[in-house]
Amino acid sequence: MKLPLAISIENITSINKIIFSILLIEMFLGGSGRFTEITSFFTLRMALWLTGLSIVSAHIIIYRKVRKNIVIVIAAYLLSMLFSSLLGIVNGVNSTFLFLDIKQFCFFIIILYFSLSINSERDIETVVRLLKRSSLILALLHVTIVFFVVLDIFNFGQVWYFFNIYATGQSDIDNPVSNEVFFKGSYGFIYYKGDFYLCVGLFFWIDSGIKNWKNRISVLVISFAIFLTGTRGFVLMVVLTYLVSWFVNIKNIKMLLRNKSILALITFVITCFLLALYIFNLEYSQYIGDKEESDAIRFIQISQVVDEIDFISIIFGHGFGYGIPIRNSHMEIAYLEILHKQGIIGLSLWLLLLVYIHRLYLLTKGEKFSRPFWLAVLFTYLLSATNPYVNHPLGFTLLSLCLVVYSVYYKNRQFEGEI
């Protein structure tokens, strides 16, 4: 009887690897998930999420085993979600907006499935391989589409209709439920909701080394594609991620304090970069689109959140589903939304997660992909200062992956007696 059991376990493991790969590819390439809608409210991403959790549930029931640190993290976020949901109900929020917040927050639970599926360095290499290839595919699609638009093979209207109406299965052209692809300016700059993983993939391609000509070409293509998104945040935060990661190292700070000339040079380079970015945005807004409106919306949101603050809400927030006049649901600035709905306690929870991941990174420095995963985490947190990523399924997925990867690295080092 042992042989059939062994065969069945092997088959189940193989099936799970396929599901795991599909889930990752869909997350890396799928944007907000509307391209793979099954119904108007149910997507392939949700189906994969439910499948993953079903596999985890079966595993826990049979083996009664799950990583302790993952359980603690999940418990903290579930308690936070429960409290914020109850607070929203007490404040009389609209049930639709409450459900939207809960649904988005629930994606973090996928960390349980990742902890089951990622158990070795070989599994980590699979994740990195899929991430790198997905980012390159995104980049090539960007360059190709812009090339066709510039050459007038396709026009803006045709591309917009294909991605936002036809590919998502929407019927109302005048009032689509949501746009997956946005045009910036009138010269072919295109932003796609999944472009977040363009930047994440770039960290891994750079980490792979640029001595190899394939890596060099990949880095150039992805960098060019990031430029073609016309998104200031991507360019600025990629550069800032490397700077912050460098300055976080105490040894580097001590070296700078001893070498005033190097400190002056770095300050000069940073100033020139920021000035060049400002001038480009000022002088070439017709190419990348006018940013004044998006900036104005963010300032209005800040003002309206501040107007709602009182002694209780600054600590606990107003609860899930509690919007502001200009935004009934989600806001552009992730930390602003967290403060508004979950207060300082909610912000502290995300800060603690960052600190915990950074500690694991320091303990596993030297592992093959330790640095690019940390850069990806840092990028997510920095980008969330102006955009909704850290509290979005795209950000949830990445942070969950990074936490599980570092847990595997840490466990392997403990087993080898290095910690």
Side-chain angles (χ1 to χ4, degrees):
M1 293 297 291
K2 289 184 178 179
L3 185 58
L5 180 61
I7 293 173
S8 64
I9 291 174
E10 185 178 334
N11 290 339
I12 291 171
T13 302
S14 300
I15 293 170
N16 181 55
K17 286 183 178 180
I18 294 172
I19 294 171
F20 178 59
S21 297
I22 294 172
L23 188 150
L24 288 179
I25 293 170
E26 198 282 328
M27 283 301 307
F28 296 154
L29 293 175
S32 67
R34 294 194 64 85
F35 285 142
T36 52
E37 272 191 343
I38 298 171
T39 68
S40 59
F41 61 89
F42 193 71
T43 64
L44 175 62
R45 182 170 300 171
M46 293 178 189
L48 291 168
W49 181 80
L50 289 172
T51 303
L53 291 186
S54 299
I55 294 171
V56 168
S57 300
H59 177 83
I60 293 174
I61 291 170
I62 294 171
Y63 297 102
R64 300 182 182 275
K65 186 179 179 181
V66 64
R67 290 175 189 157
K68 184 179 178 181
N69 67 325
I70 302 299
V71 171
I72 293 172
V73 171
I74 284 290
Y77 277 84
L78 286 179
L79 285 173
S80 172
M81 183 177 71
L82 178 62
F83 179 81
S84 297
S85 301
L86 291 174
L87 188 58
I89 293 171
V90 169
N91 284 326
V93 299
N94 185 296
S95 58
T96 300
F97 300 132
L98 175 65
F99 173 74
L100 286 174
D101 282 341
I102 293 174
K103 185 181 77 169
Q104 178 166 288
F105 211 77
C106 279
F107 268 94
F108 194 81
I109 303 174
I110 200 66
I111 192 173
L112 284 170
Y113 179 62
F114 289 156
S115 69
L116 174 66
S117 302
I118 304 173
N119 292 289
S120 65
E121 293 193 21
R122 186 175 179 181
D123 295 329
I124 295 172
E125 288 176 357
T126 298
V127 173
V128 173
R129 183 170 61 252
L130 291 174
L131 175 55
K132 289 173 65 178
R133 290 178 180 177
S134 296
S135 63
L136 187 58
I137 290 170
L138 274 176
L140 291 172
L141 284 172
H142 257 285
V143 174
T144 302
I145 292 169
V146 171
F147 179 76
F148 284 149
V149 168
V150 170
L151 292 181
D152 287 329
I153 297 174
F154 299 130
N155 59 44
F156 288 115
Q158 289 172 320
V159 176
W160 182 89
Y161 178 84
F162 177 80
F163 284 108
N164 292 324
I165 304 298
Y166 178 77
T168 58
Q170 300 185 68
S171 56
D172 191 346
I173 299 177
D174 296 322
N175 297 294
V177 176
S178 69
N179 290 327
E180 288 292 306
V181 175
F182 300 84
F183 288 99
K184 298 190 174 187
S186 55
Y187 288 82
F189 288 93
I190 299 175
Y191 168 74
Y192 166 55
K193 288 184 178 179
D195 286 339
F196 169 74
Y197 280 104
L198 266 179
C199 303
V200 174
L202 180 63
F203 297 131
F204 287 88
W205 279 106
I206 292 175
D207 187 74
S208 298
I210 55 175
K211 292 181 179 179
N212 184 310
W213 67 270
K214 291 181 180 179
N215 287 351
R216 278 187 223 155
I217 292 174
S218 297
V219 168
L220 287 173
V221 171
I222 294 173
S223 299
F224 184 51
I226 291 172
F227 171 75
L228 290 178
T229 65
T231 306
R232 297 168 300 175
F234 283 165
V235 177
L236 180 60
M237 295 309 172
V238 166
V239 175
L240 195 58
T241 295
Y242 278 105
L243 285 173
V244 171
S245 68
W246 194 84
F247 277 106
V248 164
N249 192 324
I250 300 298
K251 292 180 180 179
N252 292 334
I253 295 176
K254 289 180 178 179
M255 184 270 290
L256 279 180
L257 294 175
R258 289 195 302 267
N259 297 275
K260 305 295 183 183
S261 57
I262 297 178
L263 177 61
L265 178 62
I266 291 176
T267 304
F268 176 74
V269 170
I270 294 173
T271 303
C272 288
F273 171 76
L274 293 174
L275 186 62
L277 194 66
Y278 173 76
I279 293 172
F280 180 84
N281 179 60
L282 196 66
E283 297 295 327
Y284 299 95
S285 61
Q286 70 270 28
Y287 298 105
I288 61 174
D290 189 3
K291 304 294 184 181
E292 288 186 6
E293 183 180 352
S294 62
D295 291 342
I297 289 173
R298 285 171 170 80
F299 283 118
I300 291 171
Q301 289 178 13
I302 293 171
S303 176
Q304 291 181 350
V305 167
V306 170
D307 289 341
E308 294 275 355
I309 288 177
D310 55 38
F311 178 74
I312 301 297
S313 68
I314 193 68
I315 300 172
F316 302 104
H318 296 282
F320 282 163
Y322 197 103
I324 52 176
I326 197 173
R327 283 287 184 273
N328 290 322
S329 185
H330 304 305
M331 305 178 198
E332 274 76 356
I333 302 174
Y335 302 126
L336 190 67
E337 182 176 349
I338 295 169
L339 176 65
H340 181 66
K341 295 178 180 179
Q342 297 181 281
I344 293 175
I345 291 177
L347 286 173
S348 299
L349 192 64
W350 288 105
L351 178 61
L352 284 172
L353 180 64
L354 176 63
V355 171
Y356 179 55
I357 293 176
H358 183 248
R359 174 169 170 74
L360 288 176
Y361 161 65
L362 293 177
L363 291 171
T364 58
K365 258 187 174 182
E367 297 293 343
K368 189 173 181 181
F369 300 111
S370 183
R371 178 170 167 76
F373 272 113
W374 166 241
L375 291 175
V377 170
L378 193 55
F379 173 75
T380 304
Y381 272 84
L382 290 172
L383 188 64
S384 297
T386 55
N387 294 276
Y389 282 104
V390 77
N391 59 340
H392 186 277
L394 289 173
F396 285 157
T397 304
L398 182 65
L399 295 178
S400 300
L401 278 173
C402 294
L403 182 54
V404 172
V405 165
Y406 285 129
S407 297
V408 172
Y409 280 149
Y410 182 73
K411 181 182 177 182
N412 290 346
R413 285 203 170 187
Q414 280 186 314
F415 181 76
E416 294 167 3
E418 294 182 26
I419 295 179

